[in-house]
Amino acid sequence: MSWHPQYRSSKFRHVYGKAASKENCYDCVPITRSVHDNHFCAVNPHFIAVVTECAGGGAFLVIPVHQTGKLDPHYPRICGHKGNVLDIKWNPFNDFVIASCSEDRTVKIWDIPKHLLTKNITDARKELLGHARRVGLIEWHPTANNILFSTGYDYKIMVWNLDTKESVIQAPVKTIGFHTDVILSMSFNTDGSLLATACRDKRIRLLDPRAGTVLQVGRVSMIQPQGVPRGNGLYHVPQSSLPFPCTGKEKNFSFCLTLTLPWGVGKGSGRMREGTPRGDGNIRYYELSAVKPYLNYLMEYRSALPQKGIGIMPKRGLDVSTCEIFRFYKLIPAKNLIEPVSMIVPRRSESYQEDIYPMTAGAQPALTAQEWLSGVNKGPVFISLRPGSIILNSLPPFSERKPSLKATEPEQHQDRIERVATEDNQRRSRLQDKRSQRRLEENLQDDWQMGLSNGLDKFECPPPKTENELLQMFYRQQEEIRRLRDLVNQRDVQIKQLELAIKNIQADSGRY
């Protein structure tokens, strides 16, 4: 397989990486030195969580995304584990709930306050007990609320229902125990009806997580480059005939495509994926296709600073106004630094680019925990990333389990109610979309006269074609900046004059 094929047409062809400036990084963060194979970082639109060095137990930090710069050495931590924290994952349906697992054989669920942390958090909302050895990996279900999967060095996968009142859950709802070695990675398909695992025994298994049965098994013959740490990673590819790309030797199974990569292939934008080798500072990105060689090399972001792990911002947290399709948070222990890196598709237009932002999973669950456990399958609730758009309730793209041939009368009545509610929601969505479009057109019409700056239409600004045009544009921008500075200075003078007049009036009124 050739990883650097000849030129091919792609809308992601010229994607480039842009590292954040020093003041927009997270400095003085005591990143863990653990050798466990994991990312040690989890990100959502509100917070970045990172596992830290801690004496006498395990801890991790939860930092607001916008709180950049140097971190206070006494910044509060989440430190309720008795052993090193090995994995952390945010709840996909609640940005203020995070799960963690540890060498102390427990999994804990934490509530993060919406205000700034003022003291250490030591009491978890829920504690899950069941593993006999340390727990190294956790995953939330992609569509069902309060369903969590955990796996540890006892070679077992445990399914937990968190939708209970108990603060300490002693037993999982399901235990899958046929693996013969440590599980290195888990990944669901889009509706969460299938689970794939990569194991240290060099086998990939496709499971039914509710029945606890193995549907297919494939063997991976690893090609391990010298100096690169061993590891398997597999991730689901949405809306693809290649559902589970993973690391390993090229071998096309009926359910899994394995590739010669010593790193995990991360979740991507549409058909684009990234590769982030640990111990390396570079990020390589590829585009998936349905024909060989399946994975096509695009470009590479280069950095001299090696990364310990990496966090990926969910799509709903990206800046679509700058055509940002990824945002990585690189953990750099050598400098105690977390560096955000944005992947940007260069576009001339400043309008929303619908072709690079397909519908993506939102923060609303499609199922309750009990519904999923009873056998219901539903796809995620999709949202559009277009600014001002509303949540769209998607129909399940996957077939649900077949109901009995003779449906009871209450079930038929319930189905009619759900259909009427769905049609009503769709009508409301269409009506609100039309109103939003009408308001947008009116605003654009009103603002068109004000859209000219130094003779250039800011909605249709052609790029300079010659060096002379570039210089002219530069000089015009400099003049515009000077004009705006003068305007700001004039406003400051007016503000001071008004403040002085108010003080004089107050003094005169006090005198009489």
Side-chain angles (χ1 to χ4, degrees):
M1 174 185 284
S2 172
W3 289 100
H4 300 273
Q6 294 182 354
Y7 177 81
R8 57 187 296 276
S9 176
S10 170
K11 58 189 173 186
F12 300 114
R13 179 70 187 174
H14 301 290
V15 172
Y16 66 93
K18 181 181 179 182
S21 59
K22 181 71 173 179
E23 58 269 18
N24 291 322
C25 293
Y26 306 84
D27 203 0
C28 301
V29 180
I31 300 168
T32 180
R33 263 60 175 179
S34 172
V35 296
H36 182 71
D37 187 16
N38 220 321
H39 288 303
F40 302 110
C41 182
V43 187
N44 69 25
H46 292 92
F47 300 105
I48 174 171
V50 57
V51 180
T52 65
E53 280 293 293
C54 181
F60 60 96
L61 293 168
V62 173
I63 309 169
V65 165
H66 301 295
Q67 186 180 324
T68 56
K70 287 189 176 182
L71 187 73
D72 186 345
H74 304 291
Y75 189 84
R77 306 184 185 199
I78 289 83
C79 51
H81 283 289
K82 298 178 182 177
N84 291 332
V85 175
L86 300 181
D87 195 15
I88 47 176
K89 294 283 170 59
W90 288 104
N91 187 332
F93 310 120
N94 190 337
D95 289 340
F96 300 92
V97 173
I98 189 170
S100 64
C101 63
S102 168
E103 290 181 348
D104 62 8
R105 303 177 296 176
T106 65
V107 179
K108 296 192 177 187
I109 312 299
W110 308 87
D111 285 327
I112 305 302
K114 295 183 180 181
H115 57 78
L116 193 65
L117 287 177
T118 56
K119 61 180 181 178
N120 290 345
I121 298 178
T122 57
D123 296 325
R125 175 162 65 92
K126 288 187 183 294
E127 186 174 5
L128 316 181
L129 306 176
H131 285 280
R133 299 181 65 185
R134 57 181 174 168
V135 188
L137 185 64
I138 49 178
E139 287 289 345
W140 292 92
H141 192 277
T143 62
N145 196 23
N146 289 325
I147 292 291
L148 182 69
F149 284 65
S150 65
T151 181
Y153 282 69
D154 53 4
Y155 311 156
K156 294 179 181 178
I157 297 176
M158 295 189 178
V159 186
W160 304 90
N161 179 10
L162 307 182
D163 201 6
T164 60
K165 295 181 179 179
E166 293 83 5
S167 59
V168 178
I169 302 177
Q170 299 282 352
V173 294
K174 188 72 180 180
T175 300
I176 304 172
F178 47 74
H179 289 84
T180 60
D181 210 329
V182 177
I183 298 165
L184 303 174
S185 181
M186 296 188 293
S187 180
F188 290 95
N189 64 343
T190 304
D191 67 348
S193 61
L194 298 175
L195 175 69
T197 63
C199 187
R200 192 177 285 173
D201 62 5
K202 299 181 182 179
R203 283 181 171 83
I204 298 170
R205 295 172 175 86
L206 187 64
L207 321 173
D208 182 337
R210 282 173 291 216
T213 56
V214 182
L215 303 179
Q216 287 186 346
V217 180
R219 182 171 176 80
V220 180
S221 177
M222 287 296 296
I223 297 178
Q224 189 63 32
Q226 185 176 3
V228 178
R230 181 176 298 274
N232 282 352
L234 71 164
Y235 299 90
H236 173 245
V237 183
Q239 300 175 352
S240 171
S241 59
L242 308 173
F244 291 104
C246 54
T247 64
K249 183 180 177 181
E250 179 187 1
K251 192 171 184 180
N252 195 358
F253 299 108
S254 60
F255 67 92
C256 178
L257 168 70
T258 58
L259 304 165
T260 311
L261 292 172
W263 56 83
V265 181
K267 298 178 181 178
S269 175
R271 306 289 298 176
M272 182 177 157
R273 296 295 182 269
E274 50 79 24
T276 55
R278 281 183 202 87
D280 186 0
N282 302 337
I283 300 175
R284 303 171 184 89
Y285 27 106
Y286 303 82
E287 186 171 18
L288 289 165
S289 63
V291 296
K292 287 186 177 182
Y294 304 117
L295 209 60
N296 299 285
Y297 175 81
L298 291 175
M299 295 185 75
E300 180 177 9
Y301 168 77
R302 294 180 176 272
S303 172
L305 299 173
Q307 60 222 13
K308 172 78 174 180
I310 201 161
I312 304 176
M313 174 66 74
K315 293 299 179 56
R316 54 193 175 89
L318 298 178
D319 183 6
V320 297
S321 64
T322 61
C323 296
E324 181 187 42
I325 59 171
F326 279 111
R327 192 187 307 150
F328 304 121
Y329 290 80
K330 292 178 55 177
L331 305 186
I332 306 172
K335 292 195 170 184
N336 287 332
L337 185 73
I338 303 176
E339 180 186 47
V341 178
S342 296
M343 296 295 171
I344 297 172
V345 178
R347 293 288 173 95
R348 295 178 181 178
S349 175
E350 295 181 1
S351 61
Y352 177 73
Q353 304 296 308
E354 196 161 2
D355 61 320
I356 61 174
Y357 293 113
M359 299 289 285
T360 188
Q364 179 180 337
L367 296 167
T368 64
Q370 197 57 46
E371 286 174 337
W372 182 80
L373 290 171
S374 63
V376 180
N377 294 328
K378 280 188 180 179
V381 178
F382 288 110
I383 61 171
S384 170
L385 297 181
R386 181 187 293 274
S389 62
I390 60 173
I391 293 179
L392 300 178
N393 292 321
S394 66
L395 296 176
F398 298 89
S399 59
E400 299 184 7
R401 297 196 172 186
K402 294 182 180 179
S404 59
L405 295 177
K406 297 182 179 179
T408 61
E409 187 175 344
E411 289 175 348
Q412 292 176 353
H413 181 64
Q414 182 65 26
D415 290 341
R416 284 196 296 272
I417 293 174
E418 290 179 356
R419 281 199 301 273
V420 170
T422 302
E423 291 172 0
D424 187 46
N425 288 337
Q426 289 176 351
R427 282 197 297 271
R428 290 179 182 176
S429 298
R430 285 195 295 269
L431 182 60
Q432 190 159 350
D433 286 342
K434 287 180 181 178
R435 289 176 179 172
S436 301
Q437 182 67 23
R438 194 179 300 117
R439 283 197 298 268
L440 179 62
E441 291 174 357
E442 291 173 357
N443 291 338
L444 288 176
Q445 184 67 25
D446 294 340
D447 294 343
W448 184 80
Q449 295 296 335
M450 300 178 64
L452 295 176
S453 176
N454 284 330
L456 289 175
D457 190 345
K458 63 183 180 183
F459 297 106
E460 295 181 2
C461 183
K465 296 180 180 179
T466 64
E467 188 175 355
N468 258 346
E469 291 179 359
L470 182 64
L471 286 172
Q472 289 173 7
M473 183 173 289
F474 173 76
Y475 293 142
R476 281 197 295 267
Q477 288 177 346
Q478 293 296 316
E479 290 174 7
E480 179 74 9
I481 291 170
R482 280 195 292 271
R483 187 183 67 79
L484 291 173
R485 278 192 187 137
D486 293 337
L487 188 61
V488 169
N489 291 335
Q490 290 174 11
R491 295 288 187 271
D492 288 341
V493 171
Q494 291 176 1
I495 289 170
K496 290 179 180 177
Q497 289 174 348
L498 290 173
E499 288 176 348
L500 185 60
I502 291 170
K503 288 181 180 178
N504 291 336
I505 291 172
Q506 290 174 344
D508 292 336
S509 61
R511 189 180 306 162
Y512 296 105

mmCIF file of all heavy atoms in Angstrom, residues 286-319:
data_model
loop_
_atom_site.group_PDB
_atom_site.id
_atom_site.type_symbol
_atom_site.label_atom_id
_atom_site.label_comp_id
_atom_site.label_asym_id
_atom_site.label_seq_id
_atom_site.Cartn_x
_atom_site.Cartn_y
_atom_site.Cartn_z
ATOM 1 N N TYR A 286 -5.399 11.898 6.538
ATOM 2 C CA TYR A 286 -5.701 11.071 5.380
ATOM 3 C C TYR A 286 -7.180 11.212 5.046
ATOM 4 O O TYR A 286 -7.982 11.616 5.881
ATOM 5 C CB TYR A 286 -5.398 9.594 5.677
ATOM 6 C CG TYR A 286 -3.973 9.327 6.100
ATOM 7 C CD1 TYR A 286 -3.575 9.537 7.417
ATOM 8 C CD2 TYR A 286 -3.028 8.876 5.188
ATOM 9 C CE1 TYR A 286 -2.275 9.309 7.815
ATOM 10 C CE2 TYR A 286 -1.724 8.642 5.578
ATOM 11 C CZ TYR A 286 -1.352 8.861 6.890
ATOM 12 O OH TYR A 286 -0.061 8.633 7.285
ATOM 13 N N GLU A 287 -7.521 10.847 3.824
ATOM 14 C CA GLU A 287 -8.920 10.840 3.408
ATOM 15 C C GLU A 287 -9.331 9.417 3.078
ATOM 16 O O GLU A 287 -8.632 8.699 2.363
ATOM 17 C CB GLU A 287 -9.141 11.740 2.193
ATOM 18 C CG GLU A 287 -10.603 11.872 1.838
ATOM 19 C CD GLU A 287 -10.844 12.931 0.769
ATOM 20 O OE1 GLU A 287 -9.889 13.306 0.083
ATOM 21 O OE2 GLU A 287 -11.995 13.377 0.632
ATOM 22 N N LEU A 288 -10.487 9.012 3.619
ATOM 23 C CA LEU A 288 -10.999 7.669 3.377
ATOM 24 C C LEU A 288 -11.762 7.617 2.073
ATOM 25 O O LEU A 288 -12.429 8.577 1.684
ATOM 26 C CB LEU A 288 -11.930 7.255 4.509
ATOM 27 C CG LEU A 288 -11.262 6.956 5.848
ATOM 28 C CD1 LEU A 288 -12.305 6.933 6.939
ATOM 29 C CD2 LEU A 288 -10.528 5.640 5.802
ATOM 30 N N SER A 289 -11.674 6.489 1.379
ATOM 31 C CA SER A 289 -12.460 6.256 0.173
ATOM 32 C C SER A 289 -12.921 4.810 0.178
ATOM 33 O O SER A 289 -12.392 3.971 0.904
ATOM 34 C CB SER A 289 -11.628 6.557 -1.081
ATOM 35 O OG SER A 289 -10.527 5.677 -1.174
ATOM 36 N N ALA A 290 -13.899 4.514 -0.668
ATOM 37 C CA ALA A 290 -14.480 3.177 -0.701
ATOM 38 C C ALA A 290 -13.709 2.220 -1.606
ATOM 39 O O ALA A 290 -14.057 1.052 -1.712
ATOM 40 C CB ALA A 290 -15.928 3.259 -1.155
ATOM 41 N N VAL A 291 -12.671 2.711 -2.280
ATOM 42 C CA VAL A 291 -11.877 1.865 -3.180
ATOM 43 C C VAL A 291 -10.425 1.866 -2.700
ATOM 44 O O VAL A 291 -9.992 2.755 -1.967
ATOM 45 C CB VAL A 291 -11.964 2.365 -4.630
ATOM 46 C CG1 VAL A 291 -13.385 2.261 -5.152
ATOM 47 C CG2 VAL A 291 -11.471 3.815 -4.733
ATOM 48 N N LYS A 292 -9.665 0.875 -3.119
ATOM 49 C CA LYS A 292 -8.264 0.799 -2.726
ATOM 50 C C LYS A 292 -7.522 2.023 -3.235
ATOM 51 O O LYS A 292 -7.801 2.525 -4.308
ATOM 52 C CB LYS A 292 -7.642 -0.477 -3.283
ATOM 53 C CG LYS A 292 -8.099 -1.727 -2.555
ATOM 54 C CD LYS A 292 -7.344 -2.952 -3.036
ATOM 55 C CE LYS A 292 -7.765 -4.192 -2.253
ATOM 56 N NZ LYS A 292 -7.017 -5.388 -2.666
ATOM 57 N N PRO A 293 -6.569 2.525 -2.465
ATOM 58 C CA PRO A 293 -6.014 1.974 -1.222
ATOM 59 C C PRO A 293 -6.775 2.378 0.035
ATOM 60 O O PRO A 293 -6.237 2.312 1.121
ATOM 61 C CB PRO A 293 -4.612 2.563 -1.204
ATOM 62 C CG PRO A 293 -4.765 3.897 -1.864
ATOM 63 C CD PRO A 293 -5.813 3.713 -2.921
ATOM 64 N N TYR A 294 -8.022 2.826 -0.076
ATOM 65 C CA TYR A 294 -8.918 3.144 1.033
ATOM 66 C C TYR A 294 -8.499 4.378 1.818
ATOM 67 O O TYR A 294 -9.320 5.206 2.148
ATOM 68 C CB TYR A 294 -9.055 1.958 2.005
ATOM 69 C CG TYR A 294 -9.505 0.687 1.359
ATOM 70 C CD1 TYR A 294 -8.690 -0.438 1.346
ATOM 71 C CD2 TYR A 294 -10.750 0.597 0.752
ATOM 72 C CE1 TYR A 294 -9.097 -1.609 0.747
ATOM 73 C CE2 TYR A 294 -11.163 -0.571 0.149
ATOM 74 C CZ TYR A 294 -10.346 -1.674 0.146
ATOM 75 O OH TYR A 294 -10.752 -2.827 -0.451
ATOM 76 N N LEU A 295 -7.235 4.504 2.135
ATOM 77 C CA LEU A 295 -6.760 5.626 2.927
ATOM 78 C C LEU A 295 -5.731 6.389 2.103
ATOM 79 O O LEU A 295 -4.691 5.849 1.742
ATOM 80 C CB LEU A 295 -6.126 5.123 4.233
ATOM 81 C CG LEU A 295 -6.184 6.056 5.442
ATOM 82 C CD1 LEU A 295 -7.617 6.377 5.808
ATOM 83 C CD2 LEU A 295 -5.471 5.456 6.625
ATOM 84 N N ASN A 296 -6.037 7.653 1.768
ATOM 85 C CA ASN A 296 -5.194 8.449 0.891
ATOM 86 C C ASN A 296 -4.539 9.574 1.679
ATOM 87 O O ASN A 296 -5.230 10.371 2.328
ATOM 88 C CB ASN A 296 -6.024 9.029 -0.252
ATOM 89 C CG ASN A 296 -6.661 7.960 -1.097
ATOM 90 O OD1 ASN A 296 -6.015 7.303 -1.902
ATOM 91 N ND2 ASN A 296 -7.972 7.759 -0.904
ATOM 92 N N TYR A 297 -3.222 9.619 1.620
ATOM 93 C CA TYR A 297 -2.455 10.626 2.350
ATOM 94 C C TYR A 297 -2.766 12.015 1.807
ATOM 95 O O TYR A 297 -2.812 12.237 0.602
ATOM 96 C CB TYR A 297 -0.967 10.332 2.209
ATOM 97 C CG TYR A 297 -0.056 11.379 2.819
ATOM 98 C CD1 TYR A 297 0.197 11.395 4.176
ATOM 99 C CD2 TYR A 297 0.545 12.353 2.026
ATOM 100 C CE1 TYR A 297 1.026 12.354 4.743
ATOM 101 C CE2 TYR A 297 1.387 13.313 2.570
ATOM 102 C CZ TYR A 297 1.615 13.309 3.937
ATOM 103 O OH TYR A 297 2.441 14.254 4.480
ATOM 104 N N LEU A 298 -3.010 12.978 2.712
ATOM 105 C CA LEU A 298 -3.263 14.354 2.310
ATOM 106 C C LEU A 298 -2.057 15.232 2.609
ATOM 107 O O LEU A 298 -1.315 15.603 1.715
ATOM 108 C CB LEU A 298 -4.499 14.896 3.036
ATOM 109 C CG LEU A 298 -5.840 14.290 2.624
ATOM 110 C CD1 LEU A 298 -6.956 14.824 3.510
ATOM 111 C CD2 LEU A 298 -6.135 14.604 1.170
ATOM 112 N N MET A 299 -1.866 15.556 3.891
ATOM 113 C CA MET A 299 -0.757 16.424 4.271
ATOM 114 C C MET A 299 -0.315 16.065 5.677
ATOM 115 O O MET A 299 -0.851 15.144 6.299
ATOM 116 C CB MET A 299 -1.150 17.902 4.174
ATOM 117 C CG MET A 299 -1.464 18.381 2.769
ATOM 118 S SD MET A 299 -1.768 20.151 2.695
ATOM 119 C CE MET A 299 -0.113 20.791 2.845
ATOM 120 N N GLU A 300 0.636 16.830 6.194
ATOM 121 C CA GLU A 300 1.181 16.558 7.524
ATOM 122 C C GLU A 300 1.472 17.860 8.242
ATOM 123 O O GLU A 300 2.060 18.789 7.664
ATOM 124 C CB GLU A 300 2.462 15.722 7.389
ATOM 125 C CG GLU A 300 3.116 15.377 8.719
ATOM 126 C CD GLU A 300 4.334 14.477 8.541
ATOM 127 O OE1 GLU A 300 4.755 14.271 7.397
ATOM 128 O OE2 GLU A 300 4.853 13.993 9.557
ATOM 129 N N TYR A 301 1.022 17.923 9.482
ATOM 130 C CA TYR A 301 1.378 19.048 10.340
ATOM 131 C C TYR A 301 2.639 18.670 11.111
ATOM 132 O O TYR A 301 2.675 17.643 11.793
ATOM 133 C CB TYR A 301 0.249 19.364 11.320
ATOM 134 C CG TYR A 301 0.646 20.323 12.415
ATOM 135 C CD1 TYR A 301 0.744 21.684 12.163
ATOM 136 C CD2 TYR A 301 0.954 19.864 13.691
ATOM 137 C CE1 TYR A 301 1.122 22.563 13.160
ATOM 138 C CE2 TYR A 301 1.330 20.726 14.698
ATOM 139 C CZ TYR A 301 1.415 22.082 14.432
ATOM 140 O OH TYR A 301 1.804 22.951 15.413
ATOM 141 N N ARG A 302 3.668 19.479 10.994
ATOM 142 C CA ARG A 302 4.959 19.143 11.591
ATOM 143 C C ARG A 302 5.233 20.006 12.817
ATOM 144 O O ARG A 302 4.941 21.203 12.830
ATOM 145 C CB ARG A 302 6.101 19.318 10.580
ATOM 146 C CG ARG A 302 6.016 18.336 9.413
ATOM 147 C CD ARG A 302 7.179 18.549 8.431
ATOM 148 N NE ARG A 302 7.150 17.564 7.373
ATOM 149 C CZ ARG A 302 7.722 16.372 7.431
ATOM 150 N NH1 ARG A 302 8.372 16.022 8.535
ATOM 151 N NH2 ARG A 302 7.657 15.538 6.418
ATOM 152 N N SER A 303 5.786 19.366 13.831
ATOM 153 C CA SER A 303 6.152 20.068 15.057
ATOM 154 C C SER A 303 7.339 19.351 15.690
ATOM 155 O O SER A 303 7.423 18.120 15.640
ATOM 156 C CB SER A 303 4.982 20.110 16.040
ATOM 157 O OG SER A 303 5.382 20.625 17.289
ATOM 158 N N ALA A 304 8.245 20.115 16.266
ATOM 159 C CA ALA A 304 9.431 19.523 16.893
ATOM 160 C C ALA A 304 9.153 19.048 18.311
ATOM 161 O O ALA A 304 9.993 18.379 18.907
ATOM 162 C CB ALA A 304 10.564 20.550 16.905
ATOM 163 N N LEU A 305 7.976 19.373 18.853
ATOM 164 C CA LEU A 305 7.664 19.017 20.237
ATOM 165 C C LEU A 305 6.884 17.711 20.261
ATOM 166 O O LEU A 305 5.759 17.638 19.742
ATOM 167 C CB LEU A 305 6.838 20.134 20.889
ATOM 168 C CG LEU A 305 7.520 21.505 20.976
ATOM 169 C CD1 LEU A 305 6.540 22.551 21.475
ATOM 170 C CD2 LEU A 305 8.743 21.428 21.868
ATOM 171 N N PRO A 306 7.431 16.636 20.861
ATOM 172 C CA PRO A 306 6.718 15.348 20.906
ATOM 173 C C PRO A 306 5.508 15.418 21.826
ATOM 174 O O PRO A 306 5.508 16.126 22.834
ATOM 175 C CB PRO A 306 7.773 14.376 21.434
ATOM 176 C CG PRO A 306 8.742 15.227 22.184
ATOM 177 C CD PRO A 306 8.764 16.556 21.493
ATOM 178 N N GLN A 307 4.461 14.662 21.486
ATOM 179 C CA GLN A 307 3.221 14.688 22.246
ATOM 180 C C GLN A 307 3.051 13.409 23.060
ATOM 181 O O GLN A 307 3.354 12.316 22.594
ATOM 182 C CB GLN A 307 2.033 14.879 21.301
ATOM 183 C CG GLN A 307 1.884 13.802 20.254
ATOM 184 C CD GLN A 307 1.517 14.366 18.892
ATOM 185 O OE1 GLN A 307 1.598 15.570 18.668
ATOM 186 N NE2 GLN A 307 1.112 13.501 17.992
ATOM 187 N N LYS A 308 2.557 13.583 24.274
ATOM 188 C CA LYS A 308 2.263 12.445 25.147
ATOM 189 C C LYS A 308 0.900 11.836 24.812
ATOM 190 O O LYS A 308 0.697 10.628 24.867
ATOM 191 C CB LYS A 308 2.275 12.926 26.600
ATOM 192 C CG LYS A 308 1.808 11.909 27.618
ATOM 193 C CD LYS A 308 2.882 10.905 27.905
ATOM 194 C CE LYS A 308 2.478 9.981 29.037
ATOM 195 N NZ LYS A 308 3.515 8.981 29.329
ATOM 196 N N GLY A 309 -0.029 12.693 24.489
ATOM 197 C CA GLY A 309 -1.373 12.288 24.135
ATOM 198 C C GLY A 309 -2.047 13.438 23.420
ATOM 199 O O GLY A 309 -1.441 14.491 23.179
ATOM 200 N N ILE A 310 -3.310 13.238 23.084
ATOM 201 C CA ILE A 310 -4.000 14.275 22.322
ATOM 202 C C ILE A 310 -5.490 14.216 22.615
ATOM 203 O O ILE A 310 -6.061 13.132 22.806
ATOM 204 C CB ILE A 310 -3.723 14.099 20.813
ATOM 205 C CG1 ILE A 310 -3.972 15.398 20.063
ATOM 206 C CG2 ILE A 310 -4.533 12.963 20.213
ATOM 207 C CD1 ILE A 310 -3.310 15.453 18.714
ATOM 208 N N GLY A 311 -6.115 15.374 22.737
ATOM 209 C CA GLY A 311 -7.567 15.477 22.883
ATOM 210 C C GLY A 311 -8.166 16.082 21.635
ATOM 211 O O GLY A 311 -7.536 16.936 20.989
ATOM 212 N N ILE A 312 -9.386 15.649 21.287
ATOM 213 C CA ILE A 312 -10.038 16.118 20.071
ATOM 214 C C ILE A 312 -11.340 16.805 20.444
ATOM 215 O O ILE A 312 -12.193 16.224 21.116
ATOM 216 C CB ILE A 312 -10.307 14.954 19.097
ATOM 217 C CG1 ILE A 312 -9.006 14.225 18.770
ATOM 218 C CG2 ILE A 312 -10.968 15.463 17.817
ATOM 219 C CD1 ILE A 312 -9.184 13.003 17.903
ATOM 220 N N MET A 313 -11.493 18.049 20.008
ATOM 221 C CA MET A 313 -12.715 18.796 20.272
ATOM 222 C C MET A 313 -13.862 18.220 19.445
ATOM 223 O O MET A 313 -13.701 17.985 18.251
ATOM 224 C CB MET A 313 -12.501 20.278 19.915
ATOM 225 C CG MET A 313 -13.759 21.128 20.007
ATOM 226 S SD MET A 313 -14.414 21.306 21.680
ATOM 227 C CE MET A 313 -13.226 22.447 22.397
ATOM 228 N N PRO A 314 -15.038 17.969 20.058
ATOM 229 C CA PRO A 314 -16.194 17.534 19.272
ATOM 230 C C PRO A 314 -16.560 18.572 18.217
ATOM 231 O O PRO A 314 -16.255 19.766 18.354
ATOM 232 C CB PRO A 314 -17.301 17.388 20.318
ATOM 233 C CG PRO A 314 -16.599 17.260 21.621
ATOM 234 C CD PRO A 314 -15.327 18.029 21.493
ATOM 235 N N LYS A 315 -17.249 18.115 17.172
ATOM 236 C CA LYS A 315 -17.584 19.002 16.054
ATOM 237 C C LYS A 315 -18.382 20.219 16.499
ATOM 238 O O LYS A 315 -18.208 21.315 15.956
ATOM 239 C CB LYS A 315 -18.372 18.226 15.009
ATOM 240 C CG LYS A 315 -17.566 17.158 14.316
ATOM 241 C CD LYS A 315 -16.390 17.791 13.592
ATOM 242 C CE LYS A 315 -15.572 16.744 12.909
ATOM 243 N NZ LYS A 315 -16.348 15.926 11.997
ATOM 244 N N ARG A 316 -19.274 20.039 17.476
ATOM 245 C CA ARG A 316 -20.117 21.156 17.891
ATOM 246 C C ARG A 316 -19.328 22.246 18.616
ATOM 247 O O ARG A 316 -19.881 23.315 18.915
ATOM 248 C CB ARG A 316 -21.269 20.654 18.756
ATOM 249 C CG ARG A 316 -20.847 19.835 19.943
ATOM 250 C CD ARG A 316 -22.024 19.094 20.578
ATOM 251 N NE ARG A 316 -21.577 18.211 21.655
ATOM 252 C CZ ARG A 316 -21.454 18.566 22.899
ATOM 253 N NH1 ARG A 316 -21.748 19.810 23.249
ATOM 254 N NH2 ARG A 316 -21.049 17.709 23.805
ATOM 255 N N GLY A 317 -18.052 22.010 18.897
ATOM 256 C CA GLY A 317 -17.226 23.022 19.549
ATOM 257 C C GLY A 317 -16.268 23.725 18.616
ATOM 258 O O GLY A 317 -15.447 24.535 19.069
ATOM 259 N N LEU A 318 -16.348 23.449 17.311
ATOM 260 C CA LEU A 318 -15.416 24.036 16.348
ATOM 261 C C LEU A 318 -15.864 25.430 15.923
ATOM 262 O O LEU A 318 -17.035 25.802 16.048
ATOM 263 C CB LEU A 318 -15.290 23.134 15.120
ATOM 264 C CG LEU A 318 -14.730 21.732 15.360
ATOM 265 C CD1 LEU A 318 -14.704 20.945 14.058
ATOM 266 C CD2 LEU A 318 -13.344 21.776 15.983
ATOM 267 N N ASP A 319 -14.918 26.194 15.382
ATOM 268 C CA ASP A 319 -15.191 27.534 14.867
ATOM 269 C C ASP A 319 -15.435 27.428 13.368
ATOM 270 O O ASP A 319 -14.492 27.396 12.567
ATOM 271 C CB ASP A 319 -14.003 28.451 15.176
ATOM 272 C CG ASP A 319 -14.240 29.885 14.735
ATOM 273 O OD1 ASP A 319 -15.373 30.185 14.290
ATOM 274 O OD2 ASP A 319 -13.305 30.698 14.808
#
